[in-house]
Amino acid sequence: MTTRTSTAPSAQALYDAMSGLAGPLSSGEGASPDFAAAPRAAAGEEPSVLILGAGVGGLTAAYELGRLGYRCTVLEPQSRTGGRNRTARKGDKLYELDGKGNSPVLTHTCAFDKGLYLNLGPGRIPYHHRRVLKYCTDLGVALEPYIMETTANVLHRAGHTPPGQPWRNRRIANDTRGHLAALLSATMVGRDEFTGRLKDLLRKFGDLDAEGEYHGSTRSGYAEPLDVHEFPTPAPPLPLAELIDSQFWKHSFYQPVDYLWQATMFQPVGGMDKIVHALTERITSEHEVTVELEAEVTSVGLTSDGVSVTYRSGGKELTASADYCVSNIPLPVLKELALTGFSRDFADAIRAVDFAPTCKVGWQANRRFWEDDHNQIYGGISFTDHPITQFWYPSNDYFSKTGTLTGAYNFGDNALDMGKRTPDDRLALARDGAAQLHREFLEKTTVPQDLGVTIAWHKVPHQLGGWADWDPADPAHQIAYKQLLQPEGNGRFYVVGDQASPLPGWQEGAMMSAQYVTAQILGLLPRTAPETVQVPDAAFLTQGL
Amino acid sequence: MTTRTSTAPSAQALYDAMSGLAGPLSSGEGASPDFAAAPRAAAGEEPSVLILGAGVGGLTAAYELGRLGYRCTVLEPQSRTGGRNRTARKGDKLYELDGKGNSPVLTHTCAFDKGLYLNLGPGRIPYHHRRVLKYCTDLGVALEPYIMETTANVLHRAGHTPPGQPWRNRRIANDTRGHLAALLSATMVGRDEFTGRLKDLLRKFGDLDAEGEYHGSTRSGYAEPLDVHEFPTPAPPLPLAELIDSQFWKHSFYQPVDYLWQATMFQPVGGMDKIVHALTERITSEHEVTVELEAEVTSVGLTSDGVSVTYRSGGKELTASADYCVSNIPLPVLKELALTGFSRDFADAIRAVDFAPTCKVGWQANRRFWEDDHNQIYGGISFTDHPITQFWYPSNDYFSKTGTLTGAYNFGDNALDMGKRTPDDRLALARDGAAQLHREFLEKTTVPQDLGVTIAWHKVPHQLGGWADWDPADPAHQIAYKQLLQPEGNGRFYVVGDQASPLPGWQEGAMMSAQYVTAQILGLLPRTAPETVQVPDAAFLTQGL
């Protein structure tokens, strides 16, 4: 019997859909496959699925499998869903491992005014992350533009930018363009049509004068205020020697040019966790998914016909079994569990990669001083060589009275060092860095010290880092990443999350992974990865480095 | 008696305020002066002011003078306030002069669905236009980001971009950067520290490889969709020869780099005319300003102690007189009125400058196809060498079902030609241009023909153009512009509007002019312009050319 009477698409059609859209204007990002059109499991024969971890990957897998009739249970150790997708609001308690007994310690109880919030994890959605955008649309999550860069943002580099006078983005960007264009124009000596046009391009590109020289541009801003008598000339350009000497480009200055951060980016109105709340609400109310909070998995065993899991809940140790298991547990956490029946290759794979250290600091400001006439900053990021590294301005509630700032977003050693400090010490450090960008941090009334929050993701229980720190140059990562794209236990156990995706640190990766695993479980994609797979470059994908 | 007991600031303090803020981070844009702190006119001695024209300049003058106790009457020939600040909504009737008897003819009755709108005049507010932003804040006008550029926007150039396959902004921008950086890098042969750092900058600036060569970048997008196995390589770059040959930079490609269009720009939520409505409501309800609609001024006479104006209203010819007169009438309209008692220099000045022709086209789309997986465009502008010139995508109501598009925004001969066509012919032309950007215009169900609107501003009664087409190279403009900054009739008659500002075509200019004239009337600024004044460069200020 190969005849089908169903109007459901064939596996091949769905497989094709997985590879996304092409077309002349394709961004290279495919649309989500429409699993809803896949054949539903027959009544009474719905397979069961245990999903470990209610991060974005786990919730997405529950959403896709749940609406196909799979009986899904999500076990989540924390008292909330979302994993690293977390938004801080008044009363939220933040815990970190104390580093000694490795038990969680309260670091902050968020004291923001009601209505204020700050995204502690992911904070933006690129326009080509089609899955995230589509789930938001389907789930009714309202989105608004996230401003990655405004030319009013500043860059501070000790010993190079004048004390208390960081350089404006627009001056760095446009004076550099002008100088580079003039240098190139000066080398163009031919009189042919190509050279003539190239010099014309350079004049426009760098705002050069008719001789192909750069003497400053209003692109860098005006030297003085406009008045009715005079359209001001530009300020004298930052000298090329000073720009070069500062090595400003080593401070992520060109990150907004990279594809992942290009306009138009988005954020959910009201906080990134609106996605998590909508997903959780949908799967529990419509797809009969059970989400058990404060259920901490301690062991996973592969059996001949499924998976058996033990977990702690309400002081008891419980056992659950299912036909399939989808693990959204971060690899550094997973590797500490009691795993039985898994292959040696799998055990090696989950130990091969570390999660990256990263910290954020959040401030409440009682006045949006960054939007005043002196600063004129609406969104975007200021960069600094101070350990705080990045300083984000809110892309929401412009022109209102108060707001929140991301007072640090750092990586590597800066994050490790900050994570070792007490919460108070972190805030003191963050204030020190912020004061070099904005004098309002020199006093503590505009930005009160006791309203600050910090998070060192590598010390957060059940997370232990910001993202899988995949490195394509590491041969062990080559083996491990491929291994994680293939199920264990004869197709019974799957790893999901941005950790098993080409986009570590991005929700799109978590959703892509969940769709990939869903397709594998449905038999729409092979359960064996291709011979060669490409390991994600985590540093580039998270920081543009 | 020089002793003051009032806490009001001195004229000098207000004068200082007019010159705006400086400070290390100054954008070169000053804050608005706080006229509200100026001494109010004594009760019973409030001077009277006739304000001719309820455009943004006239309304702002009424706002500032009205709240100081001046008795203001605004005479407006149309049935609405706002002038060129106009937003089209369902039922709005658009009229143009027919070119024969020069009488107004109905061109469109806007048939957009309820809730949709399109700004026919100004459509965006730069972050450094502090006056507009401050009035919006003071008046409670909600603002949202206007997206000037997304890297998903496209550029079409006949004979250069493949038919039906316009180039994406991100490819043009980043492949050009890469090629230029590589060209320059190849000329850098020194081994000193400066050269080493410059080459390092170029690698980052252009996304060059370790050898300083450019072979494409993911900044230009991915060649294929992402999947879990592979992070795609970039598409092959657009060859430099093709880029140069296309002369893409002649189509405003770098306009978003210019200061006036840099992120973060804003627009009022719900339409640009929210500013007009808020101003009108405030001045009439709180500052006892009378706004007479459908009151068309026919003559203005300067008298020994004030100004006398005749106007038609309700079929009658009426006369009004006042201590002061502030004219927001566009110069091409003003010069046709019967003016008595004015100087020869003034009569010459108002004849010296033309208003620029400009057209817009608005479409309702029954599906936001530009946001789909194929296009992924959220705001911004696509540029084309077709006569439509610019094609704007909405910066509001993303991810909703329907929306409006600005299907043309053109200038010069393109605007003159379009203006000569019938409304139907304009829409046919606009569809032709749009179809080269988006195939959805090849049929008329997604974007219905009968829901399109057009406007040729140079044919709109009481407007006669988009903005004063000031040209610094024209000696007559040198004389005229200065003349307009000085009152006539011994300080009785003033010209306001963006036409008498360094920002023709911008609401900030209209507001700046209104503040300048207010300060002159108050005696806070001299009534004589400085010896040399700089004539605005209208083409640069409106199109970045």
Side-chain angles (χ1 to χ4, degrees):
Chain A
M1 277 293 284
T2 55
T3 311
R4 286 168 178 261
T5 52
S6 163
T7 57
S10 68
Q12 183 60 44
L14 280 167
Y15 186 96
D16 291 347
M18 290 289 295
S19 61
L21 290 174
L25 287 177
S26 172
S27 73
E29 285 286 343
S32 301
D34 189 2
F35 292 126
R40 287 181 65 90
E45 295 174 19
E46 300 91 347
S48 57
V49 189
L50 274 171
I51 296 171
L52 313 183
V56 171
L59 294 173
T60 305
Y63 176 86
E64 293 297 350
L65 290 166
R67 62 180 185 163
L68 288 170
Y70 285 64
R71 291 172 292 126
C72 299
T73 300
V74 182
L75 302 178
E76 165 57 45
Q78 303 189 69
S79 56
R80 45 171 279 279
T81 58
R84 280 160 290 153
N85 178 328
R86 181 161 197 196
T87 302
R89 294 185 187 79
K90 185 178 184 67
D92 288 349
K93 292 185 186 305
L94 303 180
Y95 293 91
E96 292 180 20
L97 304 172
D98 72 356
K100 292 168 194 165
N102 234 23
S103 56
V105 171
L106 182 70
T107 52
H108 297 281
T109 300
C110 181
F112 291 165
D113 288 352
K114 208 162 151 53
L116 294 182
Y117 60 88
L118 189 94
N119 296 322
L120 297 173
R124 47 203 172 187
I125 307 169
Y127 69 79
H128 42 90
H129 281 187
R130 306 306 296 173
R131 292 166 182 82
V132 186
L133 296 179
K134 184 164 193 315
Y135 283 117
C136 285
T137 307
D138 291 351
L139 294 166
V141 175
L143 298 168
E144 64 193 353
Y146 169 91
I147 304 298
M148 176 69 188
E149 181 179 47
T150 154
T151 63
N153 291 148
V154 301
L155 182 138
H156 165 78
R157 178 139 163 70
H160 295 278
T161 55
Q165 297 186 33
W167 288 341
R168 289 279 194 186
N169 168 294
R170 57 177 179 255
R171 298 188 70 196
I172 303 171
N174 293 300
D175 288 343
T176 298
R177 275 171 82 121
H179 290 306
L180 295 180
L183 280 179
L184 181 55
S185 186
T187 71
M188 297 282 133
V189 292
R191 302 182 72 86
D192 56 309
E193 186 183 56
F194 178 87
T195 304
R197 286 184 174 175
L198 180 54
K199 293 185 84 153
D200 191 43
L201 163 62
L202 287 169
R203 271 193 291 274
K204 202 77 192 166
F205 181 77
D207 203 11
L208 309 183
D209 64 17
E211 284 71 46
E213 293 176 0
Y214 184 67
H215 299 292
S217 167
T218 53
R219 290 177 181 173
S220 302
Y222 305 148
E224 289 169 33
L226 266 186
D227 73 28
V228 293
H229 309 117
E230 194 175 2
F231 198 90
T233 49
L238 294 167
L240 180 60
E242 277 188 42
L243 286 162
I244 294 292
D245 192 44
S246 77
Q247 298 186 77
F248 69 87
W249 59 92
K250 293 200 182 297
H251 299 285
S252 298
F253 186 79
Y254 292 117
Q255 184 180 0
V257 178
D258 285 331
Y259 191 37
L260 281 162
W261 297 279
Q262 291 174 0
T264 308
M265 306 196 83
F266 288 98
Q267 64 183 10
V269 176
M272 190 60 83
D273 64 356
K274 297 290 181 186
I275 297 177
V276 169
H277 296 161
L279 266 173
T280 305
E281 166 65 19
R282 180 69 63 91
I283 61 176
T284 53
S285 68
E286 292 190 21
H287 303 315
E288 299 177 38
V289 173
T290 301
V291 177
E292 291 194 32
L293 298 176
E294 300 181 10
E296 183 172 1
V297 172
T298 53
S299 78
V300 182
L302 301 179
T303 61
S304 58
D305 58 352
V307 183
S308 175
V309 168
T310 59
Y311 62 101
R312 281 196 292 263
S313 177
K316 284 179 273 191
E317 181 152 291
L318 304 174
T319 302
S321 60
D323 298 315
Y324 298 100
C325 181
V326 174
S327 172
N328 192 31
I329 301 174
L331 299 177
V333 179
L334 181 63
K335 75 181 181 187
E336 300 300 329
L337 302 190
L339 302 177
T340 56
F342 287 80
S343 72
R344 179 80 219 169
D345 289 343
F346 182 83
D348 288 344
I350 61 176
R351 282 171 175 74
V353 68
D354 292 325
F355 264 41
T358 187
C359 296
K360 280 195 177 177
V361 169
W363 296 110
Q364 169 174 331
N366 292 330
R367 183 171 65 81
R368 293 171 82 95
F369 62 85
W370 57 93
E371 295 182 353
D372 66 16
D373 288 330
H374 178 73
N375 289 294
Q376 307 186 6
I377 295 173
Y378 303 92
I381 300 173
S382 288
F383 295 103
T384 171
D385 63 357
H386 184 279
I388 62 170
T389 306
Q390 296 188 12
F391 187 92
W392 296 22
Y393 309 86
S395 291
N396 52 280
D397 300 303
Y398 304 102
F399 307 102
S400 60
K401 187 171 175 293
T402 61
T404 60
L405 294 157
T406 302
Y409 181 29
N410 59 19
F411 318 97
D413 287 344
N414 284 327
L416 289 172
D417 291 346
M418 184 175 260
K420 285 176 188 153
R421 294 170 178 248
T422 66
D424 281 351
D425 277 355
R426 294 178 191 172
L427 290 175
L429 179 69
R431 182 175 294 276
D432 173 62
Q436 295 177 27
L437 303 172
H438 297 289
R439 60 192 177 198
E440 287 79 3
F441 279 87
L442 292 174
E443 42 84 14
K444 298 184 180 176
T445 52
T446 306
V447 183
Q449 196 77 356
D450 56 346
L451 301 188
V453 296
T454 72
I455 190 164
W457 277 104
H458 47 292
K459 296 181 71 179
V460 173
H462 315 295
Q463 304 294 166
L464 301 184
W467 47 81
D469 204 10
W470 293 112
D471 177 3
D474 186 334
H477 286 199
Q478 296 279 350
I479 298 164
Y481 183 70
K482 178 179 173 181
Q483 185 66 41
L484 294 175
L485 300 182
Q486 305 178 137
E488 280 290 291
N490 201 21
R492 297 297 181 176
F493 181 93
Y494 298 79
V495 170
V496 291
D498 56 295
Q499 60 189 353
S501 88
L503 291 168
W506 293 92
Q507 296 176 97
E508 178 77 359
M511 289 172 165
M512 188 189 302
S513 167
Q515 291 180 354
Y516 172 76
V517 162
T518 299
Q520 285 182 317
I521 290 175
L522 294 176
L524 300 174
L525 281 180
R527 291 174 176 174
T528 308
E531 187 56 36
T532 55
V533 301
Q534 191 178 338
V535 175
D537 182 347
F540 173 70
L541 293 165
T542 56
Q543 300 143 67
L545 300 178
Chain B
M1 278 292 285
T2 54
T3 311
R4 285 169 180 262
T5 52
S6 162
T7 57
S10 68
Q12 184 60 44
L14 280 167
Y15 188 96
D16 292 347
M18 290 291 294
S19 62
L21 289 172
L25 287 177
S26 173
S27 73
E29 286 286 345
S32 301
D34 189 2
F35 292 126
R40 288 180 63 91
E45 294 174 19
E46 300 91 347
S48 57
V49 188
L50 275 171
I51 296 172
L52 313 184
V56 170
L59 294 173
T60 304
Y63 175 86
E64 293 297 350
L65 290 167
R67 62 181 186 163
L68 288 170
Y70 285 64
R71 292 172 292 126
C72 299
T73 300
V74 182
L75 301 177
E76 165 57 45
Q78 303 189 70
S79 56
R80 44 171 280 280
T81 58
R84 280 160 290 153
N85 177 328
R86 181 161 195 194
T87 302
R89 295 185 187 81
K90 185 180 185 64
D92 288 349
K93 293 185 185 306
L94 303 181
Y95 293 90
E96 291 180 18
L97 302 173
D98 71 357
K100 291 169 195 166
N102 233 22
S103 57
V105 171
L106 183 71
T107 53
H108 297 280
T109 300
C110 181
F112 291 165
D113 288 352
K114 208 163 151 52
L116 295 182
Y117 60 88
L118 190 95
N119 295 323
L120 298 173
R124 47 203 172 187
I125 306 168
Y127 70 77
H128 42 90
H129 281 187
R130 307 306 296 173
R131 292 166 183 83
V132 185
L133 296 178
K134 185 164 194 312
Y135 283 115
C136 286
T137 307
D138 290 351
L139 294 166
V141 175
L143 298 168
E144 63 193 352
Y146 168 91
I147 304 298
M148 176 69 189
E149 180 179 48
T150 154
T151 63
N153 290 148
V154 300
L155 182 139
H156 166 78
R157 179 138 162 71
H160 295 279
T161 56
Q165 297 186 34
W167 288 342
R168 289 280 195 187
N169 168 294
R170 57 177 179 256
R171 298 187 70 197
I172 303 172
N174 294 299
D175 289 343
T176 297
R177 275 171 82 120
H179 289 305
L180 296 180
L183 281 179
L184 181 55
S185 186
T187 71
M188 296 283 133
V189 292
R191 302 182 73 85
D192 57 308
E193 187 183 56
F194 178 86
T195 304
R197 286 185 174 175
L198 180 54
K199 294 185 83 154
D200 191 43
L201 163 61
L202 288 169
R203 271 193 290 276
K204 203 76 193 168
F205 181 76
D207 203 11
L208 309 183
D209 64 18
E211 283 70 45
E213 293 176 359
Y214 183 66
H215 299 291
S217 167
T218 52
R219 291 177 180 173
S220 302
Y222 304 150
E224 288 168 34
L226 267 186
D227 74 28
V228 294
H229 309 117
E230 194 176 1
F231 197 89
T233 49
L238 294 167
L240 180 59
E242 276 188 43
L243 286 162
I244 294 292
D245 193 42
S246 77
Q247 298 185 77
F248 69 87
W249 60 91
K250 293 199 182 296
H251 299 284
S252 298
F253 186 79
Y254 292 116
Q255 184 180 0
V257 178
D258 285 331
Y259 190 37
L260 281 163
W261 297 279
Q262 291 174 1
T264 308
M265 305 195 84
F266 288 98
Q267 64 183 12
V269 175
M272 190 60 83
D273 63 357
K274 298 290 182 188
I275 296 176
V276 169
H277 296 161
L279 265 174
T280 305
E281 165 66 18
R282 179 69 63 92
I283 61 175
T284 53
S285 69
E286 294 191 20
H287 303 316
E288 299 177 39
V289 173
T290 301
V291 177
E292 291 194 34
L293 299 176
E294 299 181 9
E296 184 173 359
V297 172
T298 53
S299 76
V300 181
L302 300 180
T303 62
S304 58
D305 58 352
V307 183
S308 175
V309 167
T310 58
Y311 61 102
R312 281 195 292 264
S313 178
K316 281 179 273 190
E317 182 152 291
L318 304 174
T319 303
S321 60
D323 298 315
Y324 297 100
C325 181
V326 174
S327 173
N328 192 31
I329 300 174
L331 299 178
V333 178
L334 181 64
K335 74 181 181 189
E336 299 300 330
L337 302 190
L339 302 178
T340 56
F342 287 80
S343 71
R344 181 78 220 173
D345 289 343
F346 182 83
D348 289 345
I350 61 176
R351 282 169 174 75
V353 67
D354 292 325
F355 264 41
T358 186
C359 295
K360 280 195 177 179
V361 168
W363 296 110
Q364 170 174 331
N366 292 330
R367 183 171 64 80
R368 292 171 82 95
F369 61 86
W370 57 92
E371 295 182 353
D372 66 16
D373 288 330
H374 177 73
N375 289 295
Q376 306 186 8
I377 295 173
Y378 302 91
I381 298 173
S382 288
F383 294 102
T384 172
D385 63 356
H386 184 279
I388 63 170
T389 307
Q390 296 189 13
F391 187 93
W392 295 23
Y393 309 87
S395 290
N396 53 280
D397 301 304
Y398 305 103
F399 306 103
S400 60
K401 188 171 173 293
T402 60
T404 59
L405 294 157
T406 302
Y409 181 29
N410 59 20
F411 318 96
D413 288 344
N414 283 326
L416 289 173
D417 291 346
M418 184 175 259
K420 285 175 188 155
R421 293 170 179 249
T422 66
D424 281 352
D425 278 355
R426 294 179 192 171
L427 290 175
L429 178 70
R431 182 176 293 277
D432 173 63
Q436 295 177 26
L437 302 172
H438 296 291
R439 60 191 177 199
E440 287 79 3
F441 277 88
L442 293 174
E443 42 84 15
K444 298 184 179 176
T445 53
T446 307
V447 184
Q449 196 77 356
D450 56 345
L451 301 188
V453 295
T454 72
I455 190 164
W457 277 104
H458 47 292
K459 296 181 71 178
V460 173
H462 315 294
Q463 304 293 167
L464 301 184
W467 48 80
D469 204 9
W470 292 113
D471 177 3
D474 186 333
H477 286 198
Q478 296 279 349
I479 298 164
Y481 183 71
K482 178 179 173 182
Q483 185 66 42
L484 294 175
L485 300 182
Q486 305 178 136
E488 281 290 291
N490 200 21
R492 297 297 181 177
F493 182 93
Y494 298 79
V495 170
V496 291
D498 56 296
Q499 61 190 353
S501 89
L503 290 168
W506 292 93
Q507 295 176 98
E508 178 77 359
M511 289 172 165
M512 187 189 303
S513 167
Q515 291 180 355
Y516 172 75
V517 162
T518 298
Q520 285 183 317
I521 290 174
L522 294 176
L524 300 173
L525 280 180
R527 290 174 177 173
T528 309
E531 186 56 35
T532 55
V533 301
Q534 191 178 338
V535 176
D537 182 347
F540 174 70
L541 293 165
T542 57
Q543 301 143 65
L545 300 177

